[in-house]
Amino acid sequence: MNLGMPLFKKKLNNDQKKVLQEKLRLAVDRPDTIYDLANIGINKIPEGVFSKCKVLQKQALLLQNNCLEDFKSGGDLNDLSCLLVLDISHNSFTSIPKSINHLTSLQKLDISHNKLKKLPDEIGALKELQVLNISNNQLAGLPATIKNFRKLDTLDISENRFLTNLPANLCYLKELKNFRFDQARITYPAKEITSHGIEEIIRWFKKLKGDEFMLDNDECDGCPPSKSPSFSGSSPIPEDQTKFEEAILERERQKEEKYKERLRLEQEIFDVQTENATLVLNAQKERAEFLTQIEKSEMEAQTALARQFDNENHERNKLLEQLYLEENHLDDTVNLVLQMSERAKHTDALLEELEQEQSRIDALVKITQEESEKLRKQEMIEAMSYVLNEMEQSRRKFDEYEAQKEASLKKSIKSTEKEDHTLQDVLHRKDREQQMLVQQIITEEEKQKSAFQLLQFQKDAKLIRIKKQVDLIEAELARLSLLEMQKRQEKNEQEMNTLAEMRIQTAVLLSQLIDEQEQREQRLKETVSQMEEKREDDAKDYWLIQFQRLLESKPQLLIDEENRLDVFVVDILLHAHAKEYLPHFARHRIDELKMRAITKEKLHEIGVKDGKIQADILAGVKSAVLMNDDFIKREATFVKPEKDATTPVSDLRENPIPPHGMPTASALPAMNVCGESECVVCMDRRPEVVFLTCGHVCTCSICCQPLNDCPICRQTIIQKCRLFAV
């Protein structure tokens, strides 16, 4: 079991994303030849990695210890043709693509600890391979093309549980020295042979192949043919000796020609490799010079910064010396203050007397407050008792009145039973009596209120008297305190003035030092900001140089495909402000029919991932389709179709859509529309585009794309209409 790989696919966390971004940056910035994306946990190769390896001339690509399953997201394997080392171990690859044959310069390939079940035959194209590690997979066999690994030095096929037979083509690997396999699992050849190592295995397979090995070995090695070739049992033997010798000479001549042709090809390959090596050396030399210049500029900046830092330290030392002197001066001042405090100790006796006087006055104030509180309580008690007596008397009178009222009511009720006319008089009399009693009660309540007000007035007068006494005592205390302060001021005024002057001078000096410190900090911040801006400008210049190099290395095939891109597609992309995606559409060979059926998912697959641009492209396609359909309907209403001479509207709908903003002309016979028999530009194709407003039909659909003026009348072209002949 592969313990180094995660069991489940997970999204990259923030730390893994930071590690990935840092490794991508280092791979571009570092001058070495290694592109390292190992030990990150990614499940797909970042886009453009293969092309960056080609542009930056990397020789080693490290992808081990990740969760990769294929090479699709990385780009085209053809960009890795100069790669020397490829490590994809400890991943989840289930197959190797056939395009692996483009890695013709590869010397080390590590695909161990994956899930491979089969290796493609195209892997035999890696003739420069020296180290191959395919251990810990699910292989059941090796391809026959491994006999092309004539430079292979190390081969590891261990831990493949389905691999029980060794391939016979191992006998062609003459440089193989290190061979690891599971001897207990191999059943062919026998253990008596495999136990003696790779040399015995190769010798046994050579004997097994016999003449076939000799012939294949001579042809593959490119050695001159021997004068006495051997024939297999299936080769025809001539009966006549002369014919036999002629056949031998003819065969030797063919082998000589093949040998010379192989030598010529090898010389051409050697020349190409030499030229590539020279270019690589020149590029590395330029990169080294560029890095040397950068290091020199950085050293100069660091030297200037160090010089400025030394100056700042020198000034700081001066300030520290001044502060040290000021501290000594302050210590002398403190000692003087202490001496003055010792002189003032004889005034403590006077202060103690004042404190005793203050305590005596406090005692008098306390006694006065207690007496006033007692008097106030006594007066309150007397007033409350008086009010309670008055209330008791009024309650008694009211009870008597109620009793009399009840008695009179009883009498009146009895009398009213006999004489109704006297009832009213009694009621009136009772009402008058009741009103008189109410008036009497109100009068008594007013008297009680006036008595209570008088009591409050008396109470307030006492409080005023007490307050006056307290104010007199406080004034006396203030007078005594003022006398004390005056006595102290007379003795210590001169010393306090001296201390105040020294304190003011010290505060002024401290404020000056703080201002100078702030100014120096501000200058240092400005210097650091200038250095940061310079570093950012250098990084931008480096990025622009790399981007220009990438643009200059654009393949010619892609440029040709962009030039052959359909006018309809180009026009829609220009209207959608997506000119930068022209290489993507050219790479996927998008024509008019494919553009009509384009979807959001297809645009994302092509490489258009911006949602706004996707919407603009789809809207452009939709408007072009609607315009084409509307034009076809109008043509169908005005042009009457003839039998066997026109195309139905349904057939017209199957034709490619004209470019955006260019309506398609009706299906007319070619000779009736254009008098020319061939394009006036390429002189090869039939003219099939009409120029408006002049109306000339003189170019094909390809040659009309770059034209802005009519090649016949030189009028400005406003519209281009595509014609489809029947």
Side-chain angles (χ1 to χ4, degrees):
M1 181 181 294
N2 183 8
L3 299 178
M5 292 177 55
L7 296 176
F8 303 97
K9 290 184 180 179
K10 296 181 180 179
K11 291 184 177 180
L12 297 179
N13 54 32
N14 292 331
D15 294 338
Q16 290 175 328
K17 289 180 180 178
K18 290 180 180 178
V19 172
L20 176 59
Q21 295 296 330
E22 181 65 18
K23 287 206 171 190
L24 290 174
R25 185 186 67 79
L26 290 176
V28 175
D29 294 344
R30 289 191 308 187
D32 56 12
T33 58
I34 299 176
Y35 203 107
D36 185 8
L37 295 179
N39 303 303
I40 305 176
I42 55 177
N43 52 24
K44 66 176 183 178
I45 303 173
E47 295 182 2
V49 168
F50 296 166
S51 60
K52 288 180 181 178
C53 287
K54 180 180 179 181
V55 172
L56 301 175
Q57 298 178 354
K58 300 293 183 180
Q59 297 179 359
L61 177 59
L62 307 181
L63 299 171
Q64 67 269 24
N65 291 307
N66 286 300
C67 305
L68 304 175
E69 295 181 354
D70 51 50
F71 293 102
K72 293 180 180 178
S73 58
D76 190 358
L77 286 176
N78 192 22
D79 294 335
L80 302 179
S81 58
C82 296
L83 202 66
L84 300 182
V85 178
L86 176 61
D87 190 348
I88 59 172
S89 60
H90 296 86
N91 279 287
S92 301
F93 284 90
T94 57
S95 62
I96 299 296
K98 295 181 179 181
S99 55
I100 193 73
N101 59 353
H102 293 302
L103 280 65
T104 54
S105 301
L106 201 63
Q107 296 179 2
K108 180 181 178 181
L109 176 61
D110 190 350
I111 54 178
S112 61
H113 295 86
N114 280 283
K115 301 177 182 179
L116 299 175
K117 297 181 179 179
K118 184 181 179 182
L119 293 178
D121 293 337
E122 286 75 9
I123 200 172
L126 311 181
K127 296 183 179 181
E128 300 296 326
L129 205 61
Q130 298 178 8
V131 179
L132 176 60
N133 187 355
I134 54 176
S135 61
N136 287 276
N137 281 285
Q138 302 176 11
L139 298 175
L142 298 178
T145 54
I146 64 170
K147 68 180 183 179
N148 297 331
F149 299 156
R150 299 306 175 92
K151 297 182 180 180
L152 192 65
D153 176 78
T154 303
L155 176 62
D156 189 354
I157 62 172
S158 59
E159 299 299 329
N160 285 279
R161 57 179 179 174
F162 302 113
L163 186 60
T164 58
N165 297 335
L166 294 179
N169 287 343
L170 286 175
C171 62
Y172 295 100
L173 309 182
K174 295 188 290 186
E175 300 295 332
L176 188 61
K177 298 296 186 298
N178 301 316
F179 181 50
R180 291 187 57 192
F181 63 98
D182 299 328
Q183 185 176 353
R185 189 178 287 118
I186 299 299
T187 59
Y188 178 82
K191 293 185 179 180
E192 292 79 6
I193 299 172
T194 57
S195 61
H196 290 83
I198 184 59
E199 294 180 356
E200 184 63 25
I201 295 172
I202 291 175
R203 191 180 299 111
W204 188 79
F205 278 128
K206 286 180 180 179
K207 292 179 181 179
L208 182 65
K209 282 184 171 288
D211 294 340
E212 181 182 354
F213 170 76
M214 297 301 295
L215 288 174
D216 292 342
N217 196 32
D218 290 341
E219 291 178 359
C220 292
D221 291 344
C223 298
S226 61
K227 296 298 181 180
S228 57
S230 60
F231 292 89
S232 63
S234 61
S235 301
I237 300 176
E239 296 178 356
D240 187 63
Q241 185 67 23
T242 304
K243 293 182 179 180
F244 177 72
E245 291 178 356
E246 290 177 355
I248 291 174
L249 292 174
E250 181 65 23
R251 185 170 181 179
E252 290 179 355
R253 187 182 61 78
Q254 292 177 357
K255 287 187 177 181
E256 287 287 346
E257 292 177 354
K258 290 182 180 179
Y259 177 69
K260 292 179 180 179
E261 181 67 21
R262 188 175 294 109
L263 290 177
R264 186 182 63 79
L265 292 175
E266 289 179 355
Q267 185 63 32
E268 292 179 356
I269 293 172
F270 178 76
D271 295 339
V272 172
Q273 290 178 351
T274 304
E275 184 179 357
N276 291 334
T278 304
L279 293 175
V280 169
L281 291 175
N282 293 333
Q284 291 178 352
K285 185 177 180 181
E286 292 177 357
R287 185 182 300 172
E289 292 177 355
F290 181 69
L291 292 175
T292 304
Q293 293 178 359
I294 292 176
E295 291 177 356
K296 185 177 179 181
S297 61
E298 288 181 354
M299 289 295 293
E300 293 176 355
Q302 290 177 0
T303 304
L305 183 62
R307 191 181 301 110
Q308 185 176 2
F309 184 71
D310 293 337
N311 295 332
E312 294 290 338
N313 284 333
H314 184 64
E315 293 178 358
R316 189 180 294 108
N317 293 329
K318 289 183 178 179
L319 290 176
L320 290 174
E321 291 177 358
Q322 293 178 1
L323 287 175
Y324 180 73
L325 296 175
E326 293 297 332
E327 286 178 356
N328 293 332
H329 184 66
L330 288 175
D331 291 337
D332 297 337
T333 305
V334 170
N335 293 328
L336 181 61
V337 171
L338 291 175
Q339 293 175 2
M340 293 174 64
S341 63
E342 289 178 356
R343 294 175 184 174
K345 285 182 179 179
H346 66 276
T347 59
D348 292 341
L350 181 61
L351 293 175
E352 289 178 358
E353 293 177 0
L354 291 173
E355 289 178 357
Q356 291 176 0
E357 184 70 19
Q358 181 70 29
S359 60
R360 187 176 62 80
I361 293 171
D362 292 339
L364 292 174
V365 172
K366 185 176 181 181
I367 293 170
T368 306
Q369 289 179 353
E370 290 177 354
E371 290 178 354
S372 63
E373 288 179 357
K374 289 180 181 179
L375 291 173
R376 187 166 59 250
K377 288 181 181 179
Q378 186 176 1
E379 290 176 356
M380 288 292 294
I381 291 170
E382 292 176 356
M384 291 299 295
S385 62
Y386 177 76
V387 172
L388 290 173
N389 292 330
E390 291 293 332
M391 291 178 68
E392 185 67 23
Q393 291 177 4
S394 62
R395 186 180 63 77
R396 193 180 299 112
K397 289 180 181 180
F398 186 75
D399 292 338
E400 292 176 356
Y401 168 72
E402 288 291 334
Q404 293 176 3
K405 184 178 179 180
E406 288 179 0
S408 62
L409 285 173
K410 290 179 180 178
K411 291 179 181 180
S412 63
I413 290 171
K414 291 180 180 179
S415 61
T416 52
E417 292 178 354
K418 296 179 180 179
E419 297 178 357
D420 292 335
H421 61 277
T422 59
L423 180 62
Q424 296 294 331
D425 296 335
V426 174
L427 291 175
H428 287 299
R429 188 173 63 255
K430 295 296 180 183
D431 290 336
R432 285 195 298 273
E433 291 177 356
Q434 186 176 5
Q435 290 176 359
M436 291 172 66
L437 288 173
V438 170
Q439 188 67 29
Q440 186 179 358
I441 291 170
I442 292 171
T443 304
E444 290 178 354
E445 288 179 353
E446 290 178 354
K447 290 179 180 180
Q448 291 177 359
K449 185 184 295 184
S450 60
F452 185 74
Q453 288 178 357
L454 181 61
L455 180 62
Q456 288 293 107
F457 290 155
Q458 292 175 357
K459 180 181 175 183
D460 291 341
K462 290 181 180 180
L463 289 176
I464 291 169
R465 186 173 64 254
I466 292 169
K467 288 182 179 179
K468 287 180 179 179
Q469 293 176 358
V470 172
D471 292 338
L472 290 174
I473 293 171
E474 289 178 352
E476 184 66 20
L477 289 174
R479 187 180 64 80
L480 292 174
S481 299
L482 183 60
L483 290 173
E484 179 184 358
M485 295 298 293
Q486 287 177 356
K487 290 179 180 179
R488 288 185 180 179
Q489 188 174 6
E490 289 175 357
K491 292 182 179 180
N492 300 330
E493 182 176 2
Q494 185 177 0
E495 296 177 356
M496 293 299 293
N497 290 334
T498 304
L499 291 175
E501 290 177 359
M502 295 174 65
R503 187 170 57 254
I504 291 170
Q505 292 176 359
T506 306
V508 171
L509 179 60
L510 181 61
S511 63
Q512 291 177 357
L513 292 176
I514 292 173
D515 294 338
E516 291 179 0
Q517 183 181 4
E518 291 178 353
Q519 292 175 2
R520 284 174 176 76
E521 289 179 354
Q522 185 65 28
R523 287 200 298 270
L524 184 60
K525 289 180 181 179
E526 291 176 357
T527 304
V528 173
S529 63
Q530 291 175 1
M531 292 177 64
E532 185 67 21
E533 291 176 358
K534 185 177 182 301
R535 188 185 65 80
E536 292 178 356
D537 293 339
D538 293 340
K540 291 178 182 178
D541 294 339
Y542 178 75
W543 183 86
L544 290 173
I545 291 171
Q546 295 296 332
F547 182 70
Q548 185 63 31
R549 289 181 179 175
L550 185 62
L551 290 179
E552 291 175 355
S553 62
K554 189 174 184 180
Q556 185 62 34
L557 293 175
L558 185 59
I559 296 174
D560 296 338
E561 289 180 357
E562 290 182 13
N563 294 333
R564 291 195 298 269
L565 197 61
D566 203 327
V567 179
F568 172 73
V569 179
V570 174
D571 189 64
I572 287 181
L573 291 179
L574 292 178
H575 279 77
H577 303 288
K579 183 180 179 181
E580 64 272 14
Y581 292 102
L582 286 173
H584 296 263
F585 283 78
R587 172 68 179 82
H588 291 81
R589 295 180 175 86
I590 303 299
D591 55 6
E592 294 181 4
L593 291 176
K594 292 181 180 179
M595 200 66 179
R596 285 189 67 178
I598 201 75
T599 60
K600 192 173 183 179
E601 291 77 11
K602 183 64 177 176
L603 288 174
H604 191 275
E605 181 181 351
I606 291 172
V608 183
K609 298 182 180 180
D610 191 344
K612 185 178 182 303
I613 295 178
Q614 289 180 356
D616 293 341
I617 292 174
L618 293 175
V621 173
K622 185 176 180 181
S623 63
V625 172
L626 293 175
M627 185 181 295
N628 183 37
D629 294 344
D630 185 56
F631 188 80
I632 291 174
K633 289 179 181 179
R634 290 201 302 269
E635 287 291 330
T637 56
F638 289 104
V639 180
K640 196 170 184 180
E642 298 178 3
K643 293 182 179 180
D644 300 329
T646 60
T647 305
V649 175
S650 61
D651 293 336
L652 285 173
R653 294 180 183 273
E654 296 177 359
N655 291 328
I657 306 172
H660 186 60
M662 294 171 55
T664 307
S666 59
L668 298 174
M671 297 306 295
N672 293 336
V673 175
C674 180
E676 299 289 341
S677 60
E678 59 186 12
C679 175
V680 298
V681 178
C682 63
M683 300 296 182
D684 187 17
R685 301 179 183 85
R686 182 177 59 82
E688 51 188 1
V689 177
V690 57
F691 297 144
L692 298 179
T693 59
C694 63
H696 288 118
V697 182
C698 54
T699 62
C700 60
S701 59
I702 297 176
C703 297
C704 74
Q705 295 179 6
L707 297 179
N708 294 323
D709 298 332
C710 177
I712 295 178
C713 62
R714 300 301 178 186
Q715 291 187 14
T716 303
I717 299 173
I718 299 176
Q719 265 188 328
K720 303 174 184 178
C721 297
R722 179 83 176 272
L723 300 178
F724 297 94
V726 179

